[in-house]
Amino acid sequence: DKEPWRIKDDDQAFKEHMYNCLYAIHCFATLMEPFIPDASAKTIKMLGTKRAGLDGLKFGEHEFKFSEPETLFPKIEQRPEQ
């Protein structure tokens, strides 16, 4: 009944589900800022929202507008063993 792939025909349920997911990503980006600030800033930029800080993480008060995605972490190439 709550499988996300089954709510695609219910616009309101789909919007609520997507908002919850985007809000969770925004919260995670805010919490990871002290540890990996560049990745946090890129994530928030891609969500099209602003840094809110912990006090600004109020559910339902954010709008998300996607921008062009970018790589958060560069791929680490493995060197051949010698």
Side-chain angles (χ1 to χ4, degrees):
D1 187 37
K2 295 287 186 185
E3 294 95 349
W5 55 89
R6 295 185 192 248
I7 63 170
K8 66 180 181 178
D9 298 326
D10 181 353
D11 280 348
Q12 185 60 34
F14 180 76
K15 287 177 184 178
E16 288 174 8
H17 187 80
M18 289 305 298
Y19 184 86
N20 290 342
C21 292
L22 295 171
Y23 180 73
I25 294 168
H26 185 222
C27 289
F28 181 72
T30 300
L31 293 172
M32 71 180 186
E33 185 177 14
F35 306 101
I36 41 179
D38 292 340
S40 173
K42 286 181 184 179
T43 302
I44 290 171
K45 179 183 169 192
M46 285 187 283
L47 289 174
T49 191
K50 296 187 169 131
R51 284 183 49 222
L54 292 177
D55 293 335
L57 289 179
K58 294 182 174 54
F59 186 80
E61 295 184 7
H62 296 278
E63 289 186 16
F64 302 103
K65 293 186 182 227
F66 296 117
S67 64
E68 190 66 30
E70 55 185 287
T71 304
L72 288 180
F73 305 103
K75 183 176 180 179
I76 298 175
E77 298 291 335
Q78 204 170 23
R79 289 186 275 176
E81 292 185 33
Q82 294 183 17

